[in-house]
Each structure stands twice: as C-alpha cells, then as structure tokens.
Amino acid sequence: MQKIKLLFVISNINIGGPQKSLLALLDKIDYNLFDVYVYVMKPGGVLKDYYNSNVNFLWTDDLITATTIPSENTIRHLKTFLKKGKIKMFFGALGALFNHIFFQKNMNQERQKFWKKNKDALPRLDGKYDLTFGILGLSTYFMIDLVESGKKFHWIRSDTRILNRDIEIDASYYKKLDGSLSVSMECAEIFVEMYPFMKDKVDVFYNHIPISFYNSLEYDGNIIRTYDKKIKLITVTRLDPLKGIEMAIEACSILIEKGLKIKWFILGDGKFRNEIERMIDEKGIKDSFILLGFQLNTLSFINDADIFVHPSRTEGKSNAVDEAKFVGKPIVVTNYDTVCEQIEDGVTGLICGMSGKEIANSIETILKDNNLKKNLVKNCIESQDGTLDITKFFQAYLA
C-alpha cells in the first residue's frame, strides 16, 4: 500500500510550545502508513535532533529564509538577496526594515506585505504531498504559494487577535485553505470570528506532551531540590510583556513580606530579560526570584516544584500548563481569555485576576489548604488532553 505523504511547514524548531507539540505528534504517528516531511523556514534550532528518526527534514532554500526577514542575523539574510541576484527584493526588504525602525510600522505586517509582493520570485518545493500543514509565521503563505498538495491546512496556535497581522492579507490566503486546526475551542472561535468564511472548516486538535523527548534528556535535579526546605514555585514562559512576569515579581515580593520562605524559578528567556532583571533588583528579591533561562527538560523541573504558576495575559493553549497537569501539580493561572478550556477553577487549578496581589493570594490559599492541594493534584492527573488517535485523525482528512 502506498504511504500517505504528510508535510509540516514550520517557521522554526527552537524551544517552544508549538515545536514541542509537533515533536510529540510525530512521535505517535504510524510510520507504516505515513511518510512524514518537515520544512523549517528558518533552519537550525536545538529541537531538530530530538525529532523522530523517521521524519524527513527537507533542505531549506536560503532565499526562502531571507524572504521572511528574520530579526536575527538580518544583514546576512539581506546579503542573500544580492547573492541570488534579487536586487529589487534586497531594496524591498531594506524598505520594510526602514518602515519598522523609523516609522514604527508593525514588522509582522511588513513581512506579510513583502512575502506577498515577492512570492512569484521564490522557488517552489519539489514533490507532491497528500496533506500539508502550516505552523507559525509565514508557513501558511509558503504552503499556499509554493507547495503542491492534495489538501492544505493552517494550524492555529494562539489567540489570533494578539498577532497584530494584516487581516486582509491573511484572509486572502486563508480563503485558499481546505481547513484549519486549532489548539483549543476558544482559539477556534476567535479565529472564525475574525475570518467568518472559515466557519465549519476548523477542527480542534489538542497539544500532545513529548514524553519520549523528556525521557531522553539529562536533568540536574539538584538545581531545585537543593531548596527542599523552602516553598518551590515554578513558571515556564518566554520573557515577554504579554506573559505577565511583572505580576509574578509583585506576587513574590508580597509572599516574602508575609514571611513565606519561597524560591520562585522562571524557565525561559527573551528580549525582555534585562527589564525583568531590573524589576527583580528593584524589589530586592534576587535570592528568591531566580531566572534559569531556557531549559529543555521543563517537565522534570515542574515535577520537582511545589506549585506551578502561570501569570500570563494571553495564551492559545499553554503547553506548560498541560505539563503541570500531566505531572499533577497544584496550578495557579491568571484569567486570560482561553484559560477556562484548560483549567476548571477550584477543580484542576485556581484561576485568579491579573495582579500580583491576586496571584499571591491564590498561592497562599493552596499552601494553607492541604485538602484543596490534594484534590487539585488528583483532578489534574485524571483530566488529560492529547489522547486523540493521531493516525485516524489524519486518515479522516483524506476523505
């Protein structure tokens, strides 16, 4: 029997929720039925070595990467246009960067416009696929413009409203889709609200946790276990204003003022790090609020903590929250729009308002009520997502 050819186009495979979800998905698929290909628009990324050995990673043309106008190594990517003899594209990319830097134009929208204007100058991907999925960034544009595939699907990974993209350009591409997948019902509803023509064309596909990936990683438990005599809180997030780290800093300060001996570990990094470090210094909590940077084995870190705290302002469906539920941790989350699909207040976690005081109060509530803590743990373990039969799901898409 001829195998079904699946192609996943993704913007990058750095450490991140979507990337780890894809890794988990491709660990559970039946390779006797599927040939799986992955095209990474910005090559590199530490997760590549951990993907299933049956996955075929396709070579990425430098011109494709340059056309996404990456924020890192920008000069090197600009030189690609000159090397390829794409002089108009070179000046077009310079113009996009100029608009962003000097006129404060949204860079995501500048990238969209630049891609749409220059798509005909880009090389098409060799081969023909049965199903193709675009994940993050301009991957869906690449899939629509440059891939031959029986069916094409966009993967909704977040609250689409916060991406601040050019809706008209997106709509012109989404109208060419066979459908979309969404990490949550709430994200699906938001997407359809923005693009009504996608009604009845969106399915929900919950994140999977890459267990085999975590089992393959080394882990130094002493980093957290050294502080076993203290209350260990943990947050997994990139350092970004949307992720509410300043609320966690405020909560940490409040708990310390109340005499609680805590260590609050933050796994993740980002451009906001210097600002976060300044806030920590101003509060005088450097010894209690600890930035550990990117860590591959987040699941083991979460497992060694006492309480998982997610102080975000917005999410699609948080992988980190799923991981905390998986290992059975008491969870405190803020009341961002999509939270109720993932956490039931008082049952699988405590949902609080978006302030340091409310986060601190919820943490304190768990610490003071042992029965509540036990029930939260029990309910988390019993309510797992990501149990869908992946092979049957994708087979159904061929109909």
Side-chain angles (χ1 to χ4, degrees):
M1 185 179 75
Q2 189 171 4
K3 290 185 181 181
I4 299 163
K5 296 180 72 174
L6 296 182
L7 171 64
F8 297 88
V9 183
I10 190 166
S11 60
N12 67 78
I13 46 174
N14 297 323
I15 302 171
Q19 293 85 347
K20 287 195 288 187
S21 292
L22 180 60
L23 187 153
L25 185 160
L26 297 183
D27 241 2
K28 295 183 178 181
I29 205 161
D30 187 347
Y31 287 94
N32 292 314
L33 297 175
F34 296 98
D35 277 333
V36 177
Y37 301 84
V38 174
Y39 188 97
V40 185
M41 297 185 73
K42 184 182 176 184
V46 298
L47 289 183
K48 182 177 179 180
D49 293 339
Y50 297 96
Y51 274 73
N52 192 292
S53 60
N54 291 297
V55 174
N56 302 289
F57 279 91
L58 301 176
W59 175 78
T60 305
D61 192 299
D62 290 345
L63 184 59
I64 297 294
T65 305
T67 305
T68 68
I69 318 181
S71 56
E72 298 173 351
N73 301 314
T74 305
I75 293 176
R76 176 166 64 86
H77 294 299
L78 286 174
K79 287 180 179 178
T80 297
F81 294 123
L82 298 178
K83 290 177 183 177
K84 301 273 187 177
K86 305 292 185 180
I87 306 303
K88 287 185 179 180
M89 291 181 73
F90 171 78
F91 285 109
L94 276 182
L97 291 166
F98 187 87
N99 286 339
H100 173 62
I101 295 169
F102 294 101
F103 296 108
Q104 305 301 305
K105 298 281 188 178
N106 181 279
M107 194 58 206
N108 282 335
Q109 295 182 15
E110 290 297 310
R111 291 184 177 105
Q112 289 176 269
K113 294 171 186 175
F114 182 74
W115 179 282
K116 186 176 182 181
K117 183 177 181 179
N118 295 284
K119 62 183 180 179
D120 292 335
L122 302 176
R124 293 186 62 82
L125 186 65
D126 290 336
K128 183 177 181 180
Y129 304 87
D130 297 299
L131 301 174
T132 302
F133 302 86
I135 308 171
L136 301 176
L138 295 172
S139 59
T140 296
Y141 288 20
F142 173 92
M143 172 183 70
I144 294 293
D145 291 331
L146 305 175
V147 175
E148 184 178 356
S149 181
K151 291 186 177 181
K152 300 179 180 182
F153 300 85
H154 171 67
W155 212 307
I156 307 160
R157 302 294 320 186
S158 63
D159 178 343
T160 308
R161 296 171 302 189
I162 70 166
L163 301 179
N164 199 14
R165 291 165 64 100
D166 187 309
I167 294 176
E168 290 185 6
I169 295 178
D170 270 347
S172 70
Y173 276 92
Y174 296 158
K175 286 177 181 177
K176 300 175 183 177
L177 294 168
D178 292 284
S180 290
L181 304 185
S182 174
V183 292
S184 73
M185 284 295 299
E186 183 71 24
C187 286
E189 290 170 4
I190 291 168
F191 184 76
V192 170
E193 195 174 296
M194 294 179 68
Y195 307 101
F197 56 86
M198 292 299 295
K199 187 179 180 182
D200 301 325
K201 295 180 73 175
V202 180
D203 289 324
V204 174
F205 187 96
Y206 290 121
N207 294 328
H208 287 66
I209 296 172
I211 302 303
S212 62
F213 163 66
Y214 287 127
N215 289 340
S216 72
L217 297 174
E218 293 183 358
Y219 169 65
D220 183 1
N222 291 325
I223 296 175
I224 287 189
R225 292 173 193 160
T226 301
Y227 303 102
D228 277 348
K229 293 183 180 179
K230 298 196 175 183
I231 300 160
K232 294 170 292 184
L233 310 177
I234 195 159
T235 295
V236 181
T237 183
R238 72 178 183 273
L239 303 185
D240 183 290
L242 289 173
K243 297 303 181 179
I245 302 297
E246 78 283 357
M247 292 188 287
I249 293 171
E250 179 66 25
C252 183
S253 179
I254 291 170
L255 293 171
I256 290 171
E257 287 176 4
K258 289 186 175 184
L260 294 173
K261 299 184 183 301
I262 68 172
K263 290 286 182 179
W264 196 324
F265 300 95
I266 308 296
L267 307 187
D269 218 326
K271 297 178 182 178
F272 201 49
R273 186 184 181 103
N274 290 339
E275 182 67 14
I276 292 294
E277 289 176 340
R278 182 187 62 77
M279 293 179 188
I280 294 169
D281 286 339
E282 286 179 355
K283 288 290 184 181
I285 57 171
K286 194 172 183 179
D287 290 337
S288 298
F289 199 87
I290 302 165
L291 303 181
L292 293 179
F294 278 126
Q295 302 289 336
L296 277 177
N297 202 340
T298 55
L299 195 70
S300 293
F301 278 96
I302 294 170
N303 192 45
D304 278 345
D306 297 309
I307 298 175
F308 176 87
V309 186
H310 198 62
S312 189
R313 287 191 165 82
T314 180
E315 290 291 340
K317 187 170 185 287
S318 168
N319 290 68
V321 171
D322 279 339
E323 290 176 6
K325 289 173 69 176
F326 181 81
V327 297
K329 287 292 141 180
I331 296 170
V332 173
V333 288
T334 44
N335 59 346
Y336 49 85
D337 286 347
T338 60
V339 70
C340 290
E341 190 169 348
Q342 203 164 13
I343 294 294
E344 185 178 353
D345 188 31
V347 179
T348 52
L350 296 186
I351 300 175
C352 65
M354 289 196 186
S355 73
K357 182 178 180 180
E358 290 165 289
I359 292 170
N361 287 344
S362 293
I363 293 169
E364 206 171 4
T365 296
I366 291 174
L367 292 173
K368 288 179 177 179
D369 191 337
N370 200 45
N371 285 332
L372 171 64
K373 182 177 179 179
K374 287 180 179 178
N375 284 331
L376 293 178
V377 168
K378 175 177 176 291
N379 294 334
C380 276
I381 292 172
E382 292 176 352
S383 63
Q384 302 293 329
D385 292 329
T387 57
L388 187 69
D389 186 314
I390 291 173
T391 296
K392 289 182 179 178
F393 184 87
F394 287 118
Q395 281 179 319
Y397 266 42
L398 289 169

